[in-house]
Amino acid sequence: MKNQNIFTVSRLNAEVRLLLENEMGIVWLVGEISNFSSPVSGHWYLTLKDARAQVKCAMFKGSNRHVSFKPVNGNQVLVKARLSLYEPRGDYQLIIESMQPEGDGRLQQEFEKLKMSLAAEGLFAQSLKHPLPAHPKRVGVITSKTGAALYDILDVLKRRDPSLPVVVYPTTVQGEHAAIEIAQAIGRANSRNECDVLIVGRGGGSLEDLWCFNHEIVARTIAASQIPIISAVGHEIDVTIADYVADVRAPTPSAAAELVSNDTSHKKQSLTTKVQQLHNVFRVYLAERKHQLQHNIQALNALHPKHQLQRQHQRLDEAEYRLTAAIRRRLSQETMRLKAKEHRLALNSPVKKLSEQQFLLQQSEQRLKQAMQRQLVQLRHQYTLSVEKLDTVSPLATLKRGYSITQDSQGNVITSASQVEVGKTITTKLDKGSIEATVTTITTG
């Protein structure tokens, strides 16, 4: 096996990310928000789910600042996103570029999708457009027979060219079955081939009201029509798929009636028609260029440095989350460890030990006192005995029996006459008192 075929995990995830971003590109997705979070960085992280699956998403603050509502868990939303992969975990995810509530965004998204698809097929190409007849012999009108658009068209035709015949192909222009009925009316007009130009349209309304003119079946039926068709849907600001496919787009039903009718301003009409055709050419050209531009932007975005920055932002937010969780765990562990030490400290508290030692000291002091008292009694008893014994052999006791003790001037006891000299002073101690005398005579023997 060659070394270049051995992948590291990092290289594999990087290759898969590039594959997802380059091959899948931009996707539209509808789902329910869950696990929504908005850290201090300003980025959004959430999960989009349906009944059977879910996908993780990130929307960075450069994109989410354009969202007109605050997402909450449980919201159904439509998002435009770029498929990517978060390399550190190997999780594939969506990088959301726009978000809107499902009801408001779904129709617009379907409109853009169908427009791009039909433009790619070439249905908007100017080469497919039929020129309007310079002098139509009969005009067909496909609209509601009770709508204001019909009365506006008839009023203009009556004013400009009362002799021009009009054939009305009535149909509903709003509701669930309107698209099919409009397509059938166009088909009926082509099969009868009694008109040389058709006006298809209705008055103004919301995107939902005009939605039948954005159906693919209507677009393809208009494109297949052999009779030139003028699309006159809504007001001037309203644009539908039918406007792109039709041979000419009129800003209003009244303007469409002016295009098919001749009067003194025939040259102006011709100029208006050519200007309108030129507008259509530019509109188709711009649609094609926009499609190509979006494709180029998509390819460029895959290599844009901001995506790398966004991935770094996401890694930073995840690292912050892990750090916060680790700090909380560490604080919890340290708190538990501190409580355990406090418990052990309480069990080994110096106050408790001091109390125990004080109790032991009191016991020892009591025993010492008792021992000293016993010792004192014993010593007193021994002292008494010793005193009695001493008293028995004491010279004083001898003196009491009539004996005396003679000492010289130095206090030495005289036991022999040879110890004194004549003229020396001696002291004789008696039982009671003493006698000092001067030696006058010494007798030996």
Side-chain angles (χ1 to χ4, degrees):
M1 181 180 292
K2 297 182 180 179
N3 291 337
Q4 58 267 29
N5 293 329
I6 300 176
F7 282 72
T8 64
V9 176
S10 299
R11 179 188 168 195
L12 175 63
N13 284 352
E15 293 287 344
V16 172
R17 178 181 62 79
L18 291 175
L19 183 65
L20 288 174
E21 292 178 350
N22 294 333
E23 294 299 325
M24 292 296 295
I26 298 297
V27 297
W28 289 85
L29 188 70
V30 65
E32 177 185 335
I33 294 178
S34 65
N35 301 321
F36 178 82
S37 65
S38 179
V40 294
S41 61
H43 310 311
W44 292 350
Y45 301 100
L46 57 124
T47 299
L48 283 180
K49 66 178 184 178
D50 57 20
R52 293 183 295 178
Q54 63 181 19
V55 61
K56 293 182 178 179
C57 306
M59 190 173 192
F60 299 103
K61 63 180 180 181
S63 299
N64 64 35
R65 69 178 57 165
H66 302 296
V67 178
S68 60
F69 65 100
K70 179 65 174 179
V72 295
N73 291 332
N75 281 159
Q76 287 285 338
V77 293
L78 176 71
V79 300
K80 177 184 177 183
R82 175 172 48 83
L83 196 61
S84 184
L85 181 133
Y86 184 55
E87 296 178 33
R89 287 199 306 265
D91 294 339
Y92 97 90
Q93 62 180 4
L94 294 177
I95 305 300
I96 299 175
E97 296 185 356
S98 68
M99 176 187 296
Q100 51 191 318
E102 178 188 6
D104 296 340
R106 183 184 292 273
L107 293 180
Q108 187 64 37
Q109 186 267 340
E110 291 181 6
F111 175 87
E112 294 294 337
K113 181 180 179 181
L114 180 59
K115 185 178 74 172
M116 293 177 64
S117 174
L118 296 180
E121 288 186 32
L123 260 67
F124 301 162
Q126 188 62 29
S127 60
L128 300 180
K129 307 296 184 184
H130 298 97
L132 297 183
H135 303 282
K137 298 179 180 180
R138 184 178 285 110
V139 175
V141 179
I142 299 176
T143 188
S144 171
K145 64 181 180 180
T146 59
L150 177 60
Y151 292 99
D152 290 342
I153 293 171
L154 295 178
D155 184 62
V156 171
L157 293 179
K158 181 179 179 181
R159 173 171 51 83
R160 290 171 58 85
D161 193 353
S163 63
L164 181 62
V166 178
V167 178
V168 178
Y169 301 92
T171 177
T172 58
V173 290
Q174 181 176 337
E176 182 179 357
H177 304 293
I180 296 177
E181 292 187 19
I182 293 170
Q184 290 174 344
I186 296 173
R188 187 162 59 251
N190 274 267
S191 63
R192 289 165 57 172
N193 196 25
E194 56 191 348
C195 301
D196 44 13
V197 64
L198 295 175
I199 297 175
V200 179
R202 55 155 287 167
S206 66
L207 179 62
E208 186 175 2
D209 294 336
L210 305 179
W211 192 248
C212 58
F213 293 94
N214 291 318
H215 272 268
E216 184 175 1
I217 187 174
V218 173
R220 295 193 179 279
T221 304
I222 291 175
S225 174
Q226 297 302 310
I227 302 174
I229 291 180
I230 300 174
S231 175
V233 181
H235 302 300
E236 187 170 359
I237 60 173
D238 298 320
V239 180
T240 65
I241 297 296
D243 295 330
Y244 288 106
V245 183
D247 300 293
V248 175
R249 178 201 180 238
T252 63
S254 297
E258 292 181 356
L259 288 174
V260 298
S261 58
N262 295 309
D263 63 358
T264 56
S265 58
H266 174 71
K267 293 183 179 180
K268 180 180 179 181
Q269 174 187 340
S270 177
L271 178 61
T272 301
T273 302
K274 293 184 184 308
V275 169
Q276 186 60 49
Q277 290 175 342
L278 183 61
H279 285 173
N280 290 338
V281 171
F282 274 107
R283 187 178 295 108
V284 172
Y285 175 79
L286 289 176
E288 293 174 348
R289 296 286 72 78
K290 183 178 180 181
H291 175 72
Q292 183 63 40
L293 178 61
Q294 289 176 340
H295 176 75
N296 293 339
I297 290 174
Q298 177 180 319
L300 183 61
N301 281 340
L303 304 174
H304 200 289
K306 77 173 182 179
H307 299 319
Q308 178 67 21
L309 185 60
Q310 288 173 349
R311 288 191 289 273
Q312 295 299 329
H313 281 316
Q314 186 171 0
R315 291 176 182 174
L316 181 61
D317 286 334
E318 185 172 277
E320 179 184 3
Y321 173 79
R322 290 199 302 269
L323 179 60
T324 302
I327 290 175
R328 288 176 179 170
R329 288 196 300 271
R330 184 62 180 270
L331 286 176
S332 177
Q333 293 171 356
E334 292 301 324
T335 300
M336 294 178 60
R337 189 175 293 113
L338 179 60
K339 288 182 178 180
K341 290 182 178 180
E342 287 178 348
H343 179 68
R344 290 197 298 270
L345 183 60
L347 295 177
N348 297 279
S349 172
V351 176
K352 181 178 179 181
K353 288 189 174 295
L354 181 59
S355 177
E356 293 174 352
Q357 294 299 323
Q358 286 177 338
F359 177 73
L360 294 175
L361 181 60
Q362 290 174 352
Q363 288 184 329
S364 298
E365 184 178 359
Q366 185 66 28
R367 290 196 296 270
L368 180 59
K369 287 181 179 179
Q370 293 174 353
M372 289 176 65
Q373 289 176 352
R374 290 195 296 270
Q375 185 70 18
L376 184 57
V377 169
Q378 292 176 359
L379 290 175
R380 284 177 179 172
H381 179 67
Q382 292 176 357
Y383 175 72
T384 302
L385 293 177
S386 298
V387 169
E388 290 177 353
K389 291 180 179 179
L390 183 60
D391 188 59
T392 303
V393 296
S394 172
L396 296 178
T398 303
L399 294 177
K400 287 181 180 180
R401 292 197 298 274
Y403 294 96
S404 63
I405 299 174
T406 302
Q407 297 173 313
D408 60 17
S409 59
Q410 302 300 320
N412 297 317
V413 177
I414 300 173
T415 59
S416 172
S418 61
Q419 292 179 251
V420 298
E421 297 177 354
V422 175
K424 295 294 185 178
T425 302
I426 61 175
T427 301
T428 301
K429 290 185 177 182
L430 303 174
D431 179 37
K432 294 180 180 180
S434 61
I435 301 171
E436 286 188 4
T438 302
V439 178
T440 58
T441 302
I442 299 173
T443 303
T444 62

